[in-house]
Amino acid sequence: MSLERIDRVAVLGAGNMGHGITEVTALAGYDVTMRDIKDEFVEDGYESIEWSLQKLEDKELIDESADEVLSRIETTTDLEAAVADADLVIEAAPEDLDLKHDIFTDLEEYTSGDTLLATNTSSLPISDIAAAVDSSERVLGLHFFNPPVKMDLVEVIYGEDTSDEAAEAGYEWVESIGKTPIYVRKDVRGFVVNTIVGPFGGEPAFMVSNDETTIREADATMVHERGYPMGPFELGDLTGIDVGYHVRKEGDSPIPPITEEKVEAGDLGQKTGAGFYDYEDGDGADYEPEDAGDFDWLRVEARMINRAAFLVGEDVATPEEVDTGVQLGLGFPEGICRRADKIGLETVLEKLETLYEETGSDRFEPHPYLEQLVAAGKTGEEAGAGFYDYDDDDLGPYHDLNYELEDGVLQVELDRPSRMNALSEDLLSEIDDLFSSVDTDEVRVATIEGSGDRAFSAGADISGFADANPTDLMDVSPGFETVNDFPRPVVAKIDGFCLGGGLELALACDLRIATERSSFGAPEIGLGLIPGGGGTQRLTRILGETRAKELVFRGNHIDADRAADWGLINRSVEREEFDDTVGEFLDDLRNGPPIGLKVAKRVMNEGQDASLDAALAMESQGFGLLSSTDDVLEGTAAFAEDREPEFEGK
């Protein structure tokens, strides 16, 4: 079993998850058959795929036509025909164990022993499903998140008998379709993401049930002070209160009284018009920042951190996998293990111990792994170790930033795709640390790009600055200035949205190359703010007063072609030409004279703020400095000999 052997995929189920998985599979170039039990189910699923692909084509988010992708999709109601030639089967049927047993019993009969059998279950144990087949070593979980086309995360889950070969093949296949897999190495209920999100919704519900807080107070605090994308009650209404209720009931977990009351009353959230909020006669989730009050957020986060300690301590997942899971699967502003290290694990442990002593409830009992970390003095960032190790002598570890230094090119990737690479305080600090600490003797040129396929960076993550004092925000972030002052050329590779703080980061770079589908803007004025990070000043210097004021005052987006016409970017190119164009720039910069480029950048940057006479003096000094370098001698000799120079930065 290996990725090389996966050519044809079968997806069983044409509902929201089934047709979504079918679509992403076909988008990745695989032939795929989508099967359901009735023709109308299959037709509805196929029409949903057609609609989605046309939207993607219209927005230029795919490199081929919708019709080309659709040509790789077949549909049927015949199970045997659907899976006969499949190398990978993904079951996406309703969450009914008996139904899944029936399907997998048939799969064992209709597929060869080498066919990889996966289930997309979100709540049933993989081992229970695999019990229906004799060859349970080839059964694993591939848990996609809804909607699969937009959500990057897939949990790759081991059942009790799943072989490493099967899990690795599943992991590699997930990567091949452009998704981000994480291993779940033990078949625990809830896997990784739902294990963490349980306390996020459950604990506030217990607190409201006990009259310790209000729904709006809890939601406002978790969103406006702690930076989560939704409040716990707002999220419950969105996903369906009954969904969480049944998960808790099946897992024999305590159910908060308010949750039980809502289910018994039939108030299940948005789908019924009322839940924790009123969506028919009211304004829905209408909490405001001032509703936050004194909600005990540490109680909620301590429980989530304790569940993370369970996952790590029981070898279910690594801290990196847990954090990737909650960021991509739940949109959390940062990983829960990372946040734990910032809070301090001793603070978390003390909170849990106090609550456990006061209530006697098992849900507060600290996990032994958390106790072990604290006992060993590994209490987080300040101690130099916690869930992660922190070594000041090395670069990183970075949690929102990826980098690679190869052949003189420092490639930097903003890694917050679930937040469209929004610039949080942590991410800006990591940018500052990397560009301040990297050995510039090893670097000829640097690039910055965004992860995912939607944005370079869609702006500043305002929620990430929730705890900052207004006076602190008046200081220009060192991240922008470090990039601006980096002694090597920096190229912004822009594909998608480049807005607000993202635009300000791109402006701090020396050169900007963008795909035609990219858009640019300074939308801060719509929030009653102005661009930060040097945005107002760099925009004026690059565009001139008239165009800079239009961009800032109106807050509108402009497309890449107009950005190129205005001089905001160096090139606007089609996506298929993007990498080649960037490569041409990098070749010139990587092979150029390092000292010459360093001096040129400094003189041009500093000369903007000086009088013409002073700027000319700087230019003259730079010219004189360079004239005595070995690089100038090499450049002169290469010119005379009609060959390419080989600069060494001396």
Side-chain angles (χ1 to χ4, degrees), residues 110-158:
Y110 297 150
T111 63
S112 75
D114 290 332
T115 303
L116 200 60
L117 304 181
T119 174
N120 182 58
T121 183
S122 60
S123 61
L124 298 173
I126 309 301
S127 304
D128 288 356
I129 296 171
V133 302
D134 294 330
S135 52
S136 54
E137 70 280 355
R138 61 181 172 130
V139 179
L140 74 157
L142 291 180
H143 179 215
F144 286 76
F145 287 74
N146 194 23
V149 175
K150 291 184 178 180
M151 299 295 283
D152 287 329
L153 184 71
V154 179
E155 293 178 309
V156 180
I157 309 140
Y158 277 79

Side-chain angles (χ1 to χ4, degrees), residues 1-8 30 87 169 172-173 176:
M1 242 170 273
S2 68
L3 176 63
E4 287 74 21
R5 299 185 62 176
I6 298 177
D7 294 317
R8 174 170 286 278
Y30 288 94
D87 305 300
E172 291 173 3
W173 180 80
S176 78

Side-chain angles (χ1 to χ4, degrees), residues 98 102 104 124 136 147 160-161 216 302 357 437 472 522 569 583:
D98 290 337
D102 289 342
F104 274 79
L124 298 173
S136 54
E160 289 179 4
D161 299 329
R216 283 177 173 79
E357 182 178 343
S437 306
D472 294 335
I569 61 176

Side-chain angles (χ1 to χ4, degrees), residues 136-309:
S136 54
E137 70 280 355
R138 61 181 172 130
V139 179
L140 74 157
L142 291 180
H143 179 215
F144 286 76
F145 287 74
N146 194 23
V149 175
K150 291 184 178 180
M151 299 295 283
D152 287 329
L153 184 71
V154 179
E155 293 178 309
V156 180
I157 309 140
Y158 277 79
E160 289 179 4
D161 299 329
T162 304
S163 69
D164 288 338
E165 186 182 16
E168 289 165 7
Y171 189 99
E172 291 173 3
W173 180 80
V174 170
E175 288 187 315
S176 78
I177 64 170
K179 299 298 181 182
T180 302
I182 60 170
Y183 279 123
V184 183
R185 292 173 177 80
K186 292 183 180 179
D187 193 9
V188 299
R189 186 175 292 276
F191 312 139
V192 167
V193 173
N194 288 335
T195 292
I196 300 298
V197 79
F200 179 77
E203 197 55 40
F206 277 114
M207 296 165 75
V208 169
S209 298
N210 295 333
D211 294 325
E212 298 172 73
T213 189
T214 67
I215 289 171
R216 283 177 173 79
E217 187 175 52
D219 278 359
T221 300
M222 299 308 281
V223 171
H224 296 297
E225 293 189 359
R226 301 305 294 165
Y228 294 94
M230 283 188 183
F233 294 100
E234 180 184 13
L235 179 62
D237 277 353
L238 177 66
T239 58
I241 299 172
D242 55 325
V243 174
Y245 171 86
H246 289 301
V247 168
R248 290 177 179 278
K249 195 166 186 178
E250 289 169 6
D252 199 27
S253 299
I255 299 172
I258 190 173
T259 301
E260 197 154 18
E261 291 168 10
K262 294 294 181 184
V263 172
E264 289 176 355
D267 295 332
L268 308 180
Q270 290 187 21
K271 61 187 177 184
T272 61
F276 295 118
Y277 294 93
D278 189 341
Y279 298 90
E280 288 185 349
D281 301 322
D283 297 323
D286 56 353
Y287 57 89
E288 301 290 344
E290 54 268 24
D291 292 326
D294 298 321
F295 179 72
D296 187 0
W297 57 263
L298 180 57
R299 174 169 165 178
V300 180
E301 291 191 357
R303 281 205 58 210
M304 290 195 289
I305 292 164
N306 200 37
R307 297 305 290 157

